[in-house]
Amino acid sequence: MPHTQRQRVGSRGQHTSLLLPLLSLLLLLFLFHAPNPSQAAIHIPSNYHISDLKKPPVITTQPESVTVFSVEDLVMSCEASGNPPPIFRWTKDGGEFDPGNDPELKVSERSGSFAFFTVSSTMDPLKQYQGKYTCYAANELGTAVSNEAILNTDLPPTLQKEKTVTKKAEEGESMVLKCNPPPSSMEPIIHWMDWTLHHIQLSERVMAGKDGNLYFAHLTPEDNRNDYTCNVQYLATRTILTKEPISLIVTPSNSVVRNRRPQMMRPTGTHSTYHALRGQSLELECIVQGLPSPSVSWLRKDGQLSQSRTVIEFFNRRLRFSNISESDGGEYQCTANNTQGKVTHTYTVSVEAAPYWTKEPVSQLYAPGETVRLDCQADGIPSPTISWSINGSPLSATDPDPRRTLTASGSLILMDVGFGDTAIYQCRASNKHGTILANTNVYVIELPPQILSEDGLTYTVTEGQKALLDCDTFGSPKPKITWERESMPSLLADPRVNPFTNGTLQISNVTQDDKGIYTCTIQHTNLSVSAELEVLNRTVILSPPQALKVEPGKSAIFTCLALVDPKLTPPLIQWRRSGQKLFQSFSEDKYTFEGPDLIVANVQTEDEGVYTCEVITTVDMAEASGSITLVDRPDPPTFLQLSDPKHRAVTLSWTPGDDKNSPVLEYVVEFEDQGSKKKVWEELKRIDGNRERASLSLQPYMSYRFQVIAINDVGKSDPSKPSELHNTPAEAPDNNPEDVRSESTDPDTLVITWEPMDKRSFNGPGFQYRVLWRRVLGSGPTWHTIHTNTPPYIVTDIGSFSAFEIKVQAVNQKGEGPEPDPVIGHSGEDVPLEAPMNVGVELMNSTTIKVTWEAIDKETVRGQLLGYKIHLTRFGSRVHHRGRRAREPETKLVVETGPNEEKRVIGDLRPYSHYALTATVFNSKGEGPPCEARSFDTEEGAPAPPTSLRLDSPGETEMTLHWTPPAQPNGVLKGYLVQYQQIVESDDSPMQVAAIDDPTLYYHTLKGLDPDSRYRFYLRGRTAAGQGEPIIKEGATTLDRGPPSNITVSPGEKLVNVSWPTKERHRNVVFQISYLNKNGGGKWKQSEKVNSSQAFYQLRDLAPASQYRLRFTSSDTIFWETNIRTKGTVMEVKAGFATQGWFIGLVSAIVLLLLLLLILCFIKRSKGGKYSVKDKEEGPMDSEARPMKDETFGEYSDNEEKRTASQPSLCEDSKLCSEDNLDYNVSSATMLGMDESCPVIKYSQPSEGPEQLRGHPDRSPFNPTAISPTNNGQPNSVAILD
């Protein structure tokens, strides 16, 4: 829609009002809002639709000050931008200056620029143009003023005629060679050089000063020269002036050169003052004389030298300030030292400043009625004064205006501005060092309102977030807007809703109820836009990272599982460590991202920190943090100290070591017995991890050293350093040895033994065991006593198995242990003297007997009666022993009883067997003599099951059982019993029985069986005692179903795979496969015999790609046949060129030519012709065994095979050796001399056709490098030898 712009420019200073059209340009920037008075500048957005707007002038290129040395140097220019293009004018020294009216000047004026320069050819007329120039650029919106530019004139420096200077001084004296550059307004650059234009080498002894002079701290003979030349360089005029060379004569001293203390050469005296302006450079010199050359150092007397703005250079002779500031003002001192003394010089540096801006006014756009504040603040030394101008005219020269106020700080305030206040305001800041100027545009304009935000936008947020709905508007004055929501008239009544001044509507802590359509409208217009608010579920982290404790070198795994709104795309998971993003490192494998997991490998100290998981969606972000704490075994405790020693105790304290981020759970106190031969650390006590001391209980007569180990969740620390030694005093033993007993094994001997006491229980020196013993009966109270150092102690000649009271007591030099209690022991036992009496055997059944006997006299046992042993020996079956004279033992059985038993029932004997029985008495020493043997026979019993059972089905309703008799018949077999029944689910089918009365029969056939059922068969043996246990077998009869059916054939290239299904019960059928090759017209062939139970057969040795007829026959009957075709392709054999007539004729011609060549060879040989052959010197060799040179054959060398005039070669006289005659379409043909008279002709068969040979290199004998590709470069050749 159309927009209009209204603007009036009123009279400010000397300017009249103008109407400003519109321009589509972006103007300037927002500055700031002053608190009082208020200020609102206008910034036209780039998307505000406006057709035109004018632009005030702005100086873009300032005129520059210049010193004119030649007519070409006088150029003064000024450039400015603006719309319409600005008009330029100049002032000189404050007065109007029109260079276009001066005949000595020429003007160059283009749009946006203005320049003038001289047309004079001499310098004299240019002096009148010296002065201060100012450029003014004006259009209808105001006038911009440039900075002041100064124009000076000067003549280029020239050299005056000089006399040759010669300086003479003694060795060791100081010297100054003066340069005296020509006077000029330019600062010269001095170069001291010799006649070869090499710089004079500067050092601590030789230094060039800023005044151009060359200073020698002391002279040496090397300084004696006549070409010290001062070269003066002026950069502005690009001039170098060379002064007359100076001769320096150094005369050697007649005496020893005396050292001199330092003295100042430049500057002189002890103090100097320097002035500098802020931002400039300043150099302080300290050039000194002395012998030896002094060293120079610098310091600031009232502070520290600035590290960033000061540099010490030129062998410490110069202190240079760059970009000097007010803080650099103060006192500085240089100190020169040598072996003779020192000298100092103090520099007072005073820093002032030309004006510089601290707050510069900014150009802005303003709406009518606003208050404008132009802040202009500057600083400098001395403080500058602030003045204002309007369009280049001083504010004091304009008409007074009550709306205009100038503050004490220099700010200019314009209240209730109108279109007539549009102008360019100049702020000047001046002090004695200069003036700075700033142009500020005040542009008062009115623009119609527009809504800049797009209509129909959708804003998507999650619950709990802050929603910002944009309604960006622009206009001058600023438009006012209102927000509304459908079905909610009082939108602003909600405290969560807050409209911003820029038009944005903020809704805090959004809920699902806030979703909907919102409308923004500019008041008093029909301009509006709508926005939709969409509220999604908040992203929630369900499984946040945890605080992990990780050992060094191991991996840490963080998991970050989150739940996001289903309308959102899968989130991005960003991991950070201590705020820094983490990226997967493929080369180092440090960080690996696997779905929601972060794996940190090889954790080290630098990996510790807080790890944050950020789940980022397109609308929100959730984050949670975990951490990695590196844990390790704790450091060992330190500073072990012993205190509070007591009778058997001491207190040990320590200082805990670093727990490595895992609290100490407990401390382990260990000790080392210094008196022990084995230095082993043993655990003494465990202490809680929060304690740092322990009271230790100790043993007497020991030398202790202690160490402490800390334990945390990771593991044990290294042991601490051992404590100092601690010794406990000796005491009497606290206890006696334990487990005192008799271990007597030999008769008439008492062996007293005990458990040796730990050495730490000796409690003192001289430790021994006191052994005491006495008989229980008949000896009275008298104790026998001995002392010994180790167990056991043996007492002899005391009878067998006698009872004694024994005891052992610990004693040392300090006393004896407590009184021990006696224990009963016996002397050694002997074997019993007698056998059991009245041993009887009673048969209870075929496998069980009862044995009885009388108790033995205890006196005859000669020891502790342990019981009786019954020895049974089986001599075999009763049948087995019939008719034999002797019985040989087969098996033996020993049954032990208790000492108080007088009978024992023994079972599990073999029925129908012959046994012998004896009985003995036994103690720990052994068995006594056996009683007299008692023989008995067991009765007949039921037999064991038959050894094996095998089923065989001769027909579909018959089953034959084959078996072997029982291994243990347990009597005389009477026959067998066969039982069988059908196997059904109910397991209640009737049992059928067949009795076999012949015990020598080992098979039986059952008939009339059901072919479709399975049976369970039972077979038992029978004796007179009854039936034995059965052997059981399950099976079914075999079915007669004929040859296989459903045959599948799968042909290959030279074989056929034949397969068919098989069934378990089907009887095996033998068949054969006959096959006939229909393509070959041969005879039928037959395979080997095949069993139907195989299920697979492979027919081999068939022809590829052939038709076959297969027949399957069994018992001379064909039961199946089929046709098959083997795989493969038929190769068509074409007649080769070897059978062609042309090839046969060609070969015949080659053979004929070779025969002719052989005849010529014989002729030459008869004439004595010689050939120089390289291989002749090495003796004749087989042609196939000749060495090849560079993988070739038949190679000639001009140097080795020179032909002579008297011995012409064959190829020199005959064309038979020519290339044409020897190229018979062969791959190669080579002349090889095998002796002095005749060459050997070799040829090889062609490897390719003639068409391909044409493209190959020459293969004649004279191109020996052309090798046939067959046989890897070795031709298939035939040698024709003489």
Side-chain angles (χ1 to χ4, degrees):
M1 69 183 188
H3 296 281
T4 60
Q5 169 188 344
R6 293 189 299 112
Q7 175 180 350
R8 300 184 186 90
V9 180
S11 175
R12 289 286 175 179
Q14 301 175 355
H15 298 279
T16 61
S17 63
L18 298 172
L19 180 63
L20 297 181
L22 299 176
L23 175 65
S24 58
L25 293 174
L26 174 64
L27 287 184
L28 312 176
L29 300 169
F30 286 107
L31 180 61
F32 57 89
H33 297 282
N36 187 23
S38 65
Q39 169 181 323
I42 297 175
H43 168 232
I44 300 179
S46 59
N47 57 344
Y48 180 78
H49 303 291
I50 186 171
S51 59
D52 195 12
L53 190 68
K54 291 192 178 293
K55 183 178 179 181
V58 176
I59 303 291
T60 57
T61 301
Q62 298 281 351
E64 296 181 354
S65 298
V66 63
T67 299
V68 178
F69 293 96
S70 64
V71 294
E72 292 84 1
D73 296 336
L74 199 158
V75 177
M76 192 69 70
S77 64
C78 178
E79 294 183 5
S81 63
N83 184 31
I87 299 172
F88 295 91
R89 65 184 179 89
W90 292 84
T91 62
K92 176 176 176 292
D93 296 329
E96 290 294 331
F97 176 74
D98 186 0
N101 294 332
D102 192 324
E104 296 291 335
L105 300 177
K106 186 175 181 180
V107 172
S108 172
E109 189 171 7
R110 297 189 307 273
S111 176
S113 67
F114 186 97
F116 63 88
F117 51 91
T118 181
V119 295
S120 175
S121 60
T122 61
M123 284 291 294
D124 290 339
L126 300 185
K127 292 182 180 180
Q128 60 177 322
Y129 299 113
Q130 293 187 117
K132 298 177 179 179
Y133 291 84
T134 304
C135 170
Y136 295 81
N139 67 12
E140 54 199 52
L141 297 182
T143 301
V145 182
S146 74
N147 295 333
E148 199 172 61
I150 301 175
L151 189 148
N152 291 317
T153 61
D154 195 3
L155 294 176
T158 58
L159 285 177
Q160 303 296 326
K161 187 174 181 180
E162 295 179 328
K163 295 181 179 179
T164 302
V165 176
T166 300
K167 294 280 190 175
K168 186 174 182 180
E170 285 190 1
E171 179 183 358
E173 293 182 356
S174 63
M175 174 60 66
V176 179
L177 302 183
K178 294 187 177 182
C179 178
N180 296 325
S184 175
S185 59
M186 296 179 291
E187 183 176 356
I189 299 176
I190 306 300
H191 305 275
W192 281 92
M193 309 177 79
D194 57 15
W195 68 275
T196 62
L197 298 181
H198 286 90
H199 281 82
I200 300 298
Q201 188 67 39
L202 302 181
S203 63
E204 289 185 340
R205 187 178 65 84
V206 181
M207 180 57 56
K210 291 185 63 182
D211 58 356
N213 297 336
L214 189 63
Y215 294 86
F216 294 84
H218 63 270
L219 293 174
T220 64
E222 290 77 9
D223 299 325
N224 200 357
R225 62 193 307 160
N226 60 358
D227 57 352
Y228 288 97
T229 305
C230 175
N231 295 274
V232 185
Q233 180 182 10
Y234 298 94
L235 295 178
T237 59
R238 297 184 292 278
T239 304
I240 297 179
L241 303 179
T242 302
K243 306 274 291 192
E244 286 292 329
I246 300 175
S247 297
L248 177 59
I249 301 174
V250 181
T251 59
S253 177
N254 294 328
S255 59
V256 177
V257 178
R258 299 183 58 184
N259 292 342
R260 294 180 291 107
R261 64 176 295 164
Q263 292 184 2
M264 294 298 299
M265 299 182 72
R266 176 176 171 83
T268 59
T270 60
H271 181 271
S272 56
T273 301
Y274 292 83
H275 299 279
L277 289 180
R278 176 180 179 270
Q280 294 181 347
S281 296
L282 174 67
E283 292 182 342
L284 305 181
E285 288 186 296
C286 185
I287 302 177
V288 293
Q289 59 169 299
L291 184 63
S293 298
S295 61
V296 175
S297 62
W298 292 87
L299 61 85
R300 181 171 180 174
K301 299 178 68 175
D302 55 352
Q304 296 291 329
L305 286 174
S306 171
Q307 297 294 325
S308 60
R309 295 188 301 277
T310 60
V311 177
I312 298 175
E313 53 190 10
F314 288 101
F315 307 97
N316 289 8
R317 265 49 178 182
R318 193 173 295 177
L319 174 64
R320 180 166 61 85
F321 295 83
S322 58
N323 192 23
I324 197 168
S325 69
E326 295 89 334
S327 61
D328 293 322
E331 288 195 346
Y332 297 83
Q333 178 178 287
C334 88
T335 302
N337 287 278
N338 69 2
T339 57
Q340 303 302 306
K342 71 176 181 178
V343 65
T344 62
H345 187 89
T346 301
Y347 305 79
T348 299
V349 176
S350 175
V351 180
E352 294 188 351
Y356 57 92
W357 297 116
T358 59
K359 195 168 188 180
E360 192 172 354
V362 179
S363 299
Q364 299 282 13
L365 293 177
Y366 301 94
E370 294 182 353
T371 297
V372 178
R373 180 186 179 104
L374 303 178
D375 290 316
C376 183
Q377 297 176 13
D379 202 356
I381 302 175
S383 296
T385 58
I386 303 295
S387 62
W388 284 90
S389 299
I390 301 178
N391 292 329
S393 300
L395 190 63
S396 58
T398 62
D399 297 334
D401 191 336
R403 297 180 299 113
R404 188 169 58 218
T405 305
L406 190 61
T407 66
S409 63
S411 297
L412 179 63
I413 299 175
L414 306 175
M415 295 182 294
D416 190 22
V417 295
F419 299 119
D421 293 311
T422 296
I424 299 179
Y425 295 77
Q426 288 83 31
C427 176
R428 280 186 176 84
S430 303
N431 67 6
K432 66 178 182 179
H433 299 299
T435 300
I436 56 175
L437 180 141
N439 290 281
T440 304
N441 300 331
V442 175
Y443 192 176
V444 183
I445 191 171
E446 184 178 27
L447 298 171
Q450 291 182 16
I451 298 180
L452 306 179
S453 297
E454 187 178 348
D455 189 16
L457 291 177
T458 298
Y459 296 86
T460 303
V461 295
T462 59
E463 290 179 304
Q465 278 190 328
K466 183 186 297 180
L468 296 174
L469 310 183
D470 291 334
C471 185
D472 189 11
T473 62
F474 181 75
S476 179
K478 183 175 181 61
K480 296 181 180 180
I481 66 166
T482 58
W483 278 95
E484 296 177 350
R485 180 187 173 189
E486 56 183 7
S487 70
M488 191 172 182
S490 57
L491 180 62
L492 298 181
D494 191 337
R496 299 179 298 113
V497 179
N498 182 27
F500 291 162
T501 57
N502 63 353
T504 299
L505 182 67
Q506 173 184 289
I507 305 175
S508 302
N509 194 20
V510 172
T511 66
Q512 291 288 344
D513 296 334
D514 294 323
K515 60 185 177 182
I517 304 296
Y518 294 78
T519 304
C520 168
T521 304
I522 296 180
Q523 294 182 5
H524 310 299
T525 69
N526 60 353
L527 301 176
S528 66
V529 293
S530 62
E532 180 182 2
L533 180 61
E534 182 182 27
V535 181
L536 304 180
N537 295 326
R538 179 188 314 182
T539 300
V540 179
I541 295 180
L542 303 178
S543 178
Q546 303 297 315
L548 304 180
K549 292 187 176 182
V550 188
E551 297 179 39
K554 294 188 177 180
S555 296
I557 301 177
F558 290 108
T559 299
C560 184
L561 286 175
L563 178 66
V564 300
D565 192 284
K567 294 182 181 179
L568 296 175
T569 57
L572 167 68
I573 298 180
Q574 175 65 61
W575 289 93
R576 295 177 182 269
R577 180 173 70 85
S578 302
Q580 299 296 319
K581 286 185 179 181
L582 297 181
F583 300 97
Q584 185 155 351
S585 47
F586 296 99
S587 58
E588 301 177 1
D589 293 332
K590 169 58 73 174
Y591 301 113
T592 303
F593 305 121
E594 293 184 357
D597 294 342
L598 166 65
I599 303 174
V600 184
N602 189 21
V603 174
Q604 300 297 331
T605 304
E606 60 269 17
D607 296 319
E608 289 187 305
V610 176
Y611 287 75
T612 302
C613 159
E614 295 177 349
V615 181
I616 304 171
T617 68
T618 55
V619 294
D620 71 340
M621 181 188 75
E623 67 177 19
S625 297
S627 63
I628 289 181
T629 303
L630 204 65
V631 296
D632 204 349
R633 297 185 306 124
D635 287 343
T638 56
F639 304 114
L640 271 63
Q641 292 184 346
L642 297 174
S643 61
D644 195 19
K646 294 180 180 178
H647 184 55
R648 289 193 181 187
V650 71
T651 299
L652 175 66
S653 60
W654 59 86
T655 300
D658 187 357
D659 63 6
K660 298 297 180 66
N661 298 319
S662 180
V664 174
L665 302 177
E666 62 179 350
Y667 293 98
V668 178
V669 180
E670 297 181 338
F671 73 95
E672 185 182 58
D673 184 5
Q674 300 301 300
S676 174
K677 294 182 179 179
K678 296 181 179 180
K679 304 294 187 188
V680 178
W681 288 96
E682 303 177 53
E683 182 177 324
L684 180 60
K685 192 173 185 179
R686 287 180 177 255
I687 309 297
D688 289 341
N690 55 3
R691 297 176 57 186
E692 300 177 11
R693 59 194 305 114
S695 179
L696 306 178
S697 298
L698 308 178
Q699 291 285 338
Y701 194 59
M702 285 186 65
S703 180
Y704 286 93
R705 279 204 315 168
F706 303 100
Q707 69 181 17
V708 182
I709 297 174
I711 302 176
N712 63 9
D713 282 332
V714 181
K716 293 183 178 181
S717 71
D718 293 332
S720 66
K721 292 183 178 179
S723 68
E724 60 188 8
L725 287 175
H726 179 74
N727 299 315
T728 54
E731 298 180 8
D734 294 329
N735 44 49
N736 294 314
E738 297 180 350
D739 195 17
V740 177
R741 62 195 183 279
S742 169
E743 289 187 351
S744 305
T745 57
D746 297 330
D748 202 30
T749 302
L750 176 65
V751 178
I752 304 173
T753 188
W754 57 92
E755 292 299 324
M757 293 178 62
D758 184 19
K759 184 179 179 181
R760 296 168 190 160
S761 300
F762 291 178
N763 288 9
F767 180 84
Q768 284 188 316
Y769 298 100
R770 179 184 293 167
V771 184
L772 301 97
W773 73 95
R774 68 180 180 184
R775 290 185 182 272
V776 174
L777 298 175
S779 296
T782 304
W783 289 90
H784 301 276
T785 304
I786 62 97
H787 290 81
T788 183
N789 292 326
T790 58
Y793 181 74
I794 301 174
V795 183
T796 59
D797 299 328
I798 56 174
S800 297
F801 202 63
S802 299
F804 289 86
E805 286 185 313
I806 56 178
K807 57 184 179 180
V808 180
Q809 187 177 28
V811 297
N812 62 18
Q813 292 180 5
K814 293 293 184 178
E816 55 191 35
E819 182 65 26
D821 294 329
V823 297
I824 301 299
H826 292 81
S827 58
E829 299 183 6
D830 204 348
V831 295
L833 292 174
E834 297 181 358
M837 301 296 291
N838 298 326
V839 177
V841 177
E842 179 184 350
L843 294 175
M844 301 184 71
N845 55 41
S846 62
T847 60
T848 306
I849 61 172
K850 182 169 74 173
V851 184
T852 58
W853 63 90
E854 292 182 357
I856 194 72
D857 183 2
K858 297 291 181 69
E859 294 296 329
T860 65
V861 177
R862 296 197 295 182
Q864 182 70 37
L865 175 62
L866 298 182
Y868 301 88
K869 290 186 180 181
I870 301 171
H871 297 264
L872 284 168
T873 303
R874 180 179 181 274
F875 292 97
S877 172
R878 288 162 56 181
V879 176
H880 177 71
H881 289 286
R882 287 177 181 176
R884 287 196 176 189
R885 295 182 179 180
R887 298 177 177 178
E888 297 180 1
E890 291 185 359
T891 57
K892 292 181 179 294
L893 174 66
V894 179
V895 179
E896 291 187 5
T897 71
N900 298 322
E901 293 187 52
E902 295 181 13
K903 63 181 178 180
R904 171 62 66 89
V905 175
I906 302 174
D908 293 331
L909 301 182
R910 291 275 297 277
Y912 207 64
S913 297
H914 182 75
Y915 282 91
L917 181 147
T918 60
T920 60
V921 179
F922 73 96
N923 59 17
S924 60
K925 195 65 177 178
E927 296 183 49
C931 68
E932 184 180 354
R934 303 285 190 269
S935 297
F936 63 93
D937 294 329
T938 55
E939 297 178 356
E940 194 172 6
T947 305
S948 66
L949 176 61
R950 179 172 59 85
L951 305 179
D952 184 24
S953 176
E956 292 187 354
T957 60
E958 297 180 357
M959 184 69 74
T960 300
L961 283 66
H962 300 267
W963 65 86
T964 54
Q968 298 177 6
N970 295 338
V972 179
L973 282 174
K974 300 295 185 181
Y976 296 91
L977 185 67
V978 177
Q979 296 172 300
Y980 60 98
Q981 65 181 152
Q982 289 182 352
I983 300 174
V984 294
E985 293 183 1
S986 59
D987 202 21
D988 58 353
S989 62
M991 184 73 71
Q992 303 182 57
V993 180
I996 302 170
D997 296 329
D998 184 359
T1000 63
L1001 189 63
Y1002 300 134
Y1003 68 92
H1004 181 72
T1005 300
L1006 302 175
K1007 299 182 180 181
L1009 302 181
D1010 183 3
D1012 296 325
S1013 299
R1014 286 183 62 82
Y1015 286 83
R1016 184 178 294 114
F1017 300 92
Y1018 305 83
L1019 179 67
R1020 309 168 188 263
R1022 290 186 296 118
T1023 64
Q1027 301 173 2
E1029 290 295 321
I1031 181 171
I1032 303 173
K1033 194 85 169 182
E1034 291 183 1
T1037 59
T1038 304
L1039 303 179
D1040 297 325
R1041 291 293 186 264
S1045 60
N1046 298 327
I1047 300 174
T1048 302
V1049 293
S1050 178
E1053 186 174 356
K1054 294 183 179 182
L1055 54 85
V1056 173
N1057 293 323
V1058 183
S1059 60
W1060 57 92
T1062 61
K1063 294 184 180 180
E1064 292 184 0
R1065 295 179 56 195
H1066 285 191
R1067 194 180 308 279
N1068 182 58
V1069 175
V1070 178
F1071 64 92
Q1072 286 181 296
I1073 304 173
S1074 301
Y1075 54 98
L1076 174 66
N1077 188 345
K1078 292 185 176 182
N1079 297 347
K1083 297 181 179 180
W1084 283 89
K1085 297 182 180 180
Q1086 200 168 41
S1087 70
E1088 59 186 329
K1089 292 184 178 181
V1090 183
N1091 293 322
S1092 62
S1093 58
Q1094 292 180 215
F1096 176 82
Y1097 183 75
Q1098 192 174 73
L1099 193 61
R1100 299 174 179 270
D1101 299 328
L1102 304 183
S1106 299
Q1107 289 281 352
Y1108 278 88
R1109 181 70 175 175
L1110 304 183
R1111 285 180 179 173
F1112 293 75
T1113 60
S1114 176
S1115 301
D1116 297 329
T1117 301
I1118 301 173
F1119 63 87
W1120 191 68
E1121 58 184 334
T1122 185
N1123 294 319
I1124 60 104
R1125 178 181 176 84
T1126 55
K1127 297 180 180 180
T1129 58
V1130 179
M1131 300 296 293
E1132 296 183 2
V1133 180
K1134 297 182 179 180
F1137 64 86
T1139 61
Q1140 300 297 320
W1142 64 267
F1143 181 74
I1144 297 174
L1146 179 61
V1147 173
S1148 300
I1150 293 174
V1151 173
L1152 181 61
L1153 289 174
L1154 291 176
L1155 291 175
L1156 291 175
L1157 190 61
L1158 186 60
I1159 294 172
L1160 290 175
C1161 174
F1162 291 149
I1163 295 173
K1164 284 292 182 181
R1165 182 179 182 184
S1166 63
K1167 293 181 179 180
K1170 300 293 183 177
Y1171 289 86
S1172 176
V1173 181
K1174 170 184 176 182
D1175 295 330
K1176 181 64 178 177
E1177 298 175 357
E1178 302 173 0
M1181 300 177 63
D1182 184 87
S1183 62
E1184 294 295 333
R1186 295 178 60 84
M1188 300 299 177
K1189 179 180 179 182
D1190 296 330
E1191 301 296 332
T1192 64
F1193 57 89
E1195 199 165 358
Y1196 286 93
S1197 171
D1198 293 338
N1199 296 328
E1200 297 175 355
E1201 300 182 11
K1202 299 292 184 179
R1203 302 183 179 91
T1204 61
S1206 61
Q1207 298 173 340
S1209 72
L1210 174 63
C1211 291
E1212 289 176 352
D1213 298 336
S1214 174
K1215 292 184 179 181
L1216 291 174
C1217 290
S1218 69
E1219 181 175 303
D1220 294 338
N1221 289 335
L1222 290 179
D1223 188 5
Y1224 301 121
N1225 194 20
V1226 295
S1227 60
S1228 61
T1230 307
M1231 304 285 293
L1232 297 175
M1234 297 304 295
D1235 55 30
E1236 294 182 350
S1237 59
C1238 183
V1240 177
I1241 296 91
K1242 299 183 71 178
Y1243 69 93
S1244 65
Q1245 295 297 325
S1247 60
E1248 300 181 59
E1251 290 81 11
Q1252 297 190 17
L1253 285 173
R1254 291 193 195 100
H1256 282 247
D1258 186 6
R1259 299 172 185 259
S1260 69
F1262 304 106
N1263 187 14
T1265 59
I1267 304 174
S1268 171
T1270 54
N1271 296 337
N1272 297 324
Q1274 304 298 327
N1276 296 322
S1277 58
V1278 178
I1280 303 175
L1281 305 177
D1282 183 11

